[in-house]
Amino acid sequence: MKVLVGMSGGIDSSVAAYLLKKEGYEVEGITMLIWRPDSPYPSAMSSNSCYSPDKSNDLEKIKEISEKIGIHHHVVDCSDFFESAVLANFRAEYMNGRTPNPCIWCNQKVKFGAMLEYAASVVPFDYFATGHYSMIMKLASGRYALRRARDEKKDQSYFLSRLSQKQLSSVLFPLGDYLKSEVREIDEALGFHEKGQSESQDFYGGDYSDLLEADDRKGEIVFEDGSHAGYHNGFWHYTIGQRKGLGIAYSEPLYVVATDPERNLVIVGTEKSTHSSVVDASDVVYGAAEDFEEDKIYKVKIRSMSEMKAAHAEKTPDGFRVSFLSYVKGVAPGQSAVIYDDDTVVASGIITKGE
């Protein structure tokens, strides 16, 4: 069985490739380039971001590690598709007052999508693997489902929740049953990286507004009743639930509760105004099941860093609705709502509203 491993040059993907080779798979590595040489975006950004200009050092490191493992390595230029599928969506969502998650979109459309389609035409393979912390299981129903990783702090099932049944059927996550500390120990023992090696932490190391290609435009910050609260330089600089950077003196903390793209307004309110008990989502990808059990209590995440909250779930004509047993804060249209049955992903949808 041949496994193609997505390699970034970091600890996780390097160890994933090593473990698969050790298990007896025929392994080859592949790296996708997503930064266009003619990109207009600033290059002075964190070197730990996955979307950054100069990957020559990374490629040298990947080549070095591939040679240590004893595998071939390929490079695929996905920059044009990344621009059209991920960045274009990112801009459109932000400029329409929503808050997208580019990592989820990239996983679905590029890393486990376009890149593999292209790679398959060059390097025949049976499975694709990455260094993500998650697990895949095949259920008695015949469906494939994502499960949360053993290392709860590193679990990435939220970011992988939009992978289709077809994608899940041909993917391996060899690190799903490892703790991050164990992976680091393996990496250091093999001499892949120095002890304490830093890693990619974010999609983009600069200001997200750089990617929107929008000039600052003065607008008004208002309270929910429409009364004046202050000014801003563009609604796209703000996200739902944001507290810092508002520059408004008030008797209690204020939060962004909505934006109005047409009128270039940022609407603020007190913490209570950020509470929602119901969330609707559309554009749904189903995992463990294609429907929800009536009266069953699921666990739901509305952001990658939010805690899982108990809720009931039901299908709607456009997607699904989750009704929380207690309130959640800062529901942001454009983010993903991911429904879990215990540790298994049942469904993932794009949030349309909270109330």
Side-chain angles (χ1 to χ4, degrees), residues 28 36 53 73 81 105 150 176 222 270 279:
E28 294 193 23
R36 288 171 55 175
H73 175 253
F81 187 80
W105 212 248
R150 176 185 165 207
V222 299
T270 60
V279 169

mmCIF file of all heavy atoms in Angstrom, residues 28 36 53 73 81 105 150 176 222 270 279:
data_model
loop_
_atom_site.group_PDB
_atom_site.id
_atom_site.type_symbol
_atom_site.label_atom_id
_atom_site.label_comp_id
_atom_site.label_asym_id
_atom_site.label_seq_id
_atom_site.Cartn_x
_atom_site.Cartn_y
_atom_site.Cartn_z
ATOM 1 N N GLU A 28 5.615 8.160 0.312
ATOM 2 C CA GLU A 28 6.204 9.273 -0.423
ATOM 3 C C GLU A 28 5.630 10.562 0.165
ATOM 4 O O GLU A 28 4.494 10.584 0.643
ATOM 5 C CB GLU A 28 5.910 9.182 -1.924
ATOM 6 C CG GLU A 28 6.575 7.982 -2.576
ATOM 7 C CD GLU A 28 6.562 8.041 -4.104
ATOM 8 O OE1 GLU A 28 6.453 9.161 -4.650
ATOM 9 O OE2 GLU A 28 6.658 6.979 -4.734
ATOM 10 N N ARG A 36 1.572 32.796 -3.999
ATOM 11 C CA ARG A 36 1.921 33.162 -5.375
ATOM 12 C C ARG A 36 3.109 34.116 -5.387
ATOM 13 O O ARG A 36 3.165 35.046 -4.570
ATOM 14 C CB ARG A 36 0.718 33.825 -6.050
ATOM 15 C CG ARG A 36 -0.401 32.865 -6.371
ATOM 16 C CD ARG A 36 -1.649 33.571 -6.833
ATOM 17 N NE ARG A 36 -1.403 34.451 -7.976
ATOM 18 C CZ ARG A 36 -2.379 35.103 -8.617
ATOM 19 N NH1 ARG A 36 -3.623 34.997 -8.223
ATOM 20 N NH2 ARG A 36 -2.103 35.868 -9.641
ATOM 21 N N PRO A 53 5.374 33.841 2.344
ATOM 22 C CA PRO A 53 6.008 33.892 1.035
ATOM 23 C C PRO A 53 7.177 32.956 0.774
ATOM 24 O O PRO A 53 7.216 32.289 -0.254
ATOM 25 C CB PRO A 53 6.449 35.352 0.921
ATOM 26 C CG PRO A 53 6.625 35.794 2.330
ATOM 27 C CD PRO A 53 5.565 35.074 3.098
ATOM 28 N N HIS A 73 10.128 12.718 -2.353
ATOM 29 C CA HIS A 73 9.336 13.896 -1.996
ATOM 30 C C HIS A 73 8.951 14.670 -3.253
ATOM 31 O O HIS A 73 9.754 14.819 -4.182
ATOM 32 C CB HIS A 73 10.116 14.821 -1.050
ATOM 33 C CG HIS A 73 9.404 16.094 -0.735
ATOM 34 N ND1 HIS A 73 9.784 17.314 -1.258
ATOM 35 C CD2 HIS A 73 8.294 16.336 0.020
ATOM 36 C CE1 HIS A 73 8.963 18.248 -0.808
ATOM 37 N NE2 HIS A 73 8.062 17.682 -0.047
ATOM 38 N N PHE A 81 -5.112 27.866 -7.309
ATOM 39 C CA PHE A 81 -6.365 27.321 -6.784
ATOM 40 C C PHE A 81 -6.622 27.841 -5.375
ATOM 41 O O PHE A 81 -7.762 28.132 -5.003
ATOM 42 C CB PHE A 81 -6.327 25.795 -6.783
ATOM 43 C CG PHE A 81 -7.659 25.184 -6.414
ATOM 44 C CD1 PHE A 81 -8.667 25.082 -7.353
ATOM 45 C CD2 PHE A 81 -7.900 24.743 -5.121
ATOM 46 C CE1 PHE A 81 -9.907 24.550 -7.015
ATOM 47 C CE2 PHE A 81 -9.129 24.201 -4.772
ATOM 48 C CZ PHE A 81 -10.137 24.098 -5.723
ATOM 49 N N TRP A 105 -11.790 25.608 5.361
ATOM 50 C CA TRP A 105 -12.043 25.681 3.921
ATOM 51 C C TRP A 105 -10.869 25.112 3.131
ATOM 52 O O TRP A 105 -11.042 24.398 2.161
ATOM 53 C CB TRP A 105 -12.309 27.133 3.524
ATOM 54 C CG TRP A 105 -13.256 27.299 2.379
ATOM 55 C CD1 TRP A 105 -12.967 27.753 1.135
ATOM 56 C CD2 TRP A 105 -14.665 27.018 2.380
ATOM 57 N NE1 TRP A 105 -14.094 27.780 0.348
ATOM 58 C CE2 TRP A 105 -15.157 27.329 1.093
ATOM 59 C CE3 TRP A 105 -15.555 26.517 3.330
ATOM 60 C CZ2 TRP A 105 -16.496 27.163 0.735
ATOM 61 C CZ3 TRP A 105 -16.887 26.361 2.984
ATOM 62 C CH2 TRP A 105 -17.346 26.676 1.702
ATOM 63 N N ARG A 150 -6.585 11.518 20.881
ATOM 64 C CA ARG A 150 -6.268 11.179 22.265
ATOM 65 C C ARG A 150 -5.798 12.414 23.029
ATOM 66 O O ARG A 150 -6.145 12.612 24.192
ATOM 67 C CB ARG A 150 -5.190 10.097 22.277
ATOM 68 C CG ARG A 150 -4.690 9.722 23.674
ATOM 69 C CD ARG A 150 -3.534 8.742 23.561
ATOM 70 N NE ARG A 150 -2.802 8.622 24.822
ATOM 71 C CZ ARG A 150 -1.526 8.280 24.905
ATOM 72 N NH1 ARG A 150 -0.830 8.028 23.797
ATOM 73 N NH2 ARG A 150 -0.932 8.195 26.079
ATOM 74 N N GLY A 176 -3.206 10.327 15.615
ATOM 75 C CA GLY A 176 -4.440 10.447 16.383
ATOM 76 C C GLY A 176 -4.394 9.830 17.768
ATOM 77 O O GLY A 176 -5.069 10.294 18.682
ATOM 78 N N VAL A 222 -22.234 51.953 16.584
ATOM 79 C CA VAL A 222 -23.502 52.308 17.217
ATOM 80 C C VAL A 222 -23.916 51.249 18.231
ATOM 81 O O VAL A 222 -23.503 50.088 18.144
ATOM 82 C CB VAL A 222 -24.634 52.485 16.175
ATOM 83 C CG1 VAL A 222 -24.298 53.610 15.205
ATOM 84 C CG2 VAL A 222 -24.888 51.176 15.425
ATOM 85 N N THR A 270 -23.647 45.032 25.392
ATOM 86 C CA THR A 270 -23.044 44.456 26.590
ATOM 87 C C THR A 270 -22.907 42.943 26.420
ATOM 88 O O THR A 270 -23.375 42.370 25.432
ATOM 89 C CB THR A 270 -23.904 44.758 27.821
ATOM 90 O OG1 THR A 270 -25.209 44.193 27.627
ATOM 91 C CG2 THR A 270 -24.021 46.262 28.024
ATOM 92 N N VAL A 279 -28.667 28.185 17.296
ATOM 93 C CA VAL A 279 -27.779 28.487 16.172
ATOM 94 C C VAL A 279 -28.249 27.719 14.937
ATOM 95 O O VAL A 279 -28.514 26.507 15.005
ATOM 96 C CB VAL A 279 -26.318 28.103 16.491
ATOM 97 C CG1 VAL A 279 -25.445 28.155 15.231
ATOM 98 C CG2 VAL A 279 -25.750 29.026 17.555
#
